[in-house]
């Protein structure tokens, strides 16, 4: 697809999601896709190679959760190439986003993207999540990072008392929900529709139950 066709695809998807992004966001998001393609050959950032699929499965998939993410701070664990955290940070200046990954090649890419796009609301951390030393977080998000049980176990020490885990999942993970350790409970479940993607998507909001 040409750049113009990719831009039209993104525009169409954003209309379907009913998202209005700050001026210049669309072009910046496509520049990110271009950089992803460029770095991918050497750094193996994502298994998706086709730019059209990157727009749908990376950009629109990440942006679909934006209305459900509160303003303030957001920690993205196992962020990989910056999904969804970097994408959200690019279009949500009201968010302070921390990107965490244990893969040094991926965090190197994230540092470069943060500088290239002048993102003052992004910090990049190279560490394993269970060893990360960060202040208590109000929101921690993950995209296909781990089972819900592992997500809660590994990130529990980083979560503020009233904070929430935001788990991006495909099919509704009934078995994973049943295996959640106390005191974690699912507070909300949202079925998402990602434009041009014929696959199930859910966002689960998980918090600690009061003793």
């Amino acid at each position: 697809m040409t750049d113009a066709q990719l831009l039209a695809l993104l525009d169409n998807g954003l209309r379907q999601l009913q998202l209005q992004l700050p001026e210049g966001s669309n072009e910046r998001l496509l520049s990110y896709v271009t950089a992803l393609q460029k770095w991918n050959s050497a750094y193996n950032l994502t298994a998706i190679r086709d730019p059209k699929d990157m727009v749908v499965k990376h950009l629109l998939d990440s942006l679909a959760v934006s209305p459900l993410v509160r303003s303030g701070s957001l920690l993205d664990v196992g962020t990989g190439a910056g999904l969804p955290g970097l994408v959200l940070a690019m279009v949500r200046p009201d968010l302070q986003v921390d990107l965490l990954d244990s893969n040094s090649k991926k965090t190197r890419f994230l540092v470069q993207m943060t500088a290239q796009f002048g993102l003052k609301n992004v910090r990049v951390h190279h560490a394993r999540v269970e060893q990360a030393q960060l202040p208590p977080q109000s929101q921690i998000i993950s995209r296909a990072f781990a089972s819900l049980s592992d997500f809660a176990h590994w990130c529990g020490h980083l979560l503020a008392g009233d904070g929430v885990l935001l788990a991006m999942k495909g099919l509704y993970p009934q078995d994973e929900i049943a295996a959640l350790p106390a005191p974690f409970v699912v507070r909300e479940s949202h079925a998402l529709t990602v434009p041009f993607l014929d696959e199930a998507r859910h966002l689960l909001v998980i918090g600690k139950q009061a003793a």
Side-chain angles (χ1 to χ4, degrees), residues 169-185:
K169 291 287 183 177
L171 294 170
Y172 188 75
Q174 187 63 58
D175 291 346
E176 290 187 27
I177 291 170
L180 264 175
F184 291 97
V185 293

Side-chain angles (χ1 to χ4, degrees), residues 119-201:
L119 299 174
K120 305 297 185 187
N121 61 333
V122 174
R123 292 180 294 238
V124 179
H125 308 272
H126 174 224
R128 294 180 62 84
V129 62
E130 59 269 36
Q131 296 165 346
Q133 299 295 319
L134 294 168
Q137 302 290 313
S138 61
Q139 301 179 102
I140 302 178
I141 198 165
S142 81
R143 181 177 183 252
F145 166 63
S147 68
L148 295 180
S149 178
D150 285 344
F151 186 24
H153 179 70
W154 290 336
C155 296
H157 71 290
L158 295 173
L159 195 65
D162 58 350
V164 291
L165 302 174
L166 304 173
M168 296 174 68
K169 291 287 183 177
L171 294 170
Y172 188 75
Q174 187 63 58
D175 291 346
E176 290 187 27
I177 291 170
L180 264 175
F184 291 97
V185 293
V186 175
R187 292 183 182 169
E188 302 170 27
S189 172
H190 301 272
L192 304 173
T193 299
V194 178
F196 317 115
L197 186 65
D198 189 22
E199 296 176 19
R201 287 289 187 270

Side-chain angles (χ1 to χ4, degrees), residues 78-148:
T79 184
L83 304 163
L86 184 70
V87 173
L88 291 172
M90 292 171 75
V91 303
R92 292 276 305 269
D94 60 311
L95 282 176
Q96 172 60 53
V97 180
D98 287 278
L99 304 173
L100 177 68
D101 204 277
S102 61
N103 184 308
S104 60
K105 288 184 177 180
K106 292 176 179 176
T107 55
R108 207 170 301 144
F109 171 74
L110 296 173
V111 168
Q112 175 62 31
M113 291 301 96
T114 302
Q116 179 176 323
F117 296 116
L119 299 174
K120 305 297 185 187
N121 61 333
V122 174
R123 292 180 294 238
V124 179
H125 308 272
H126 174 224
R128 294 180 62 84
V129 62
E130 59 269 36
Q131 296 165 346
Q133 299 295 319
L134 294 168
Q137 302 290 313
S138 61
Q139 301 179 102
I140 302 178
I141 198 165
S142 81
R143 181 177 183 252
F145 166 63
S147 68
L148 295 180

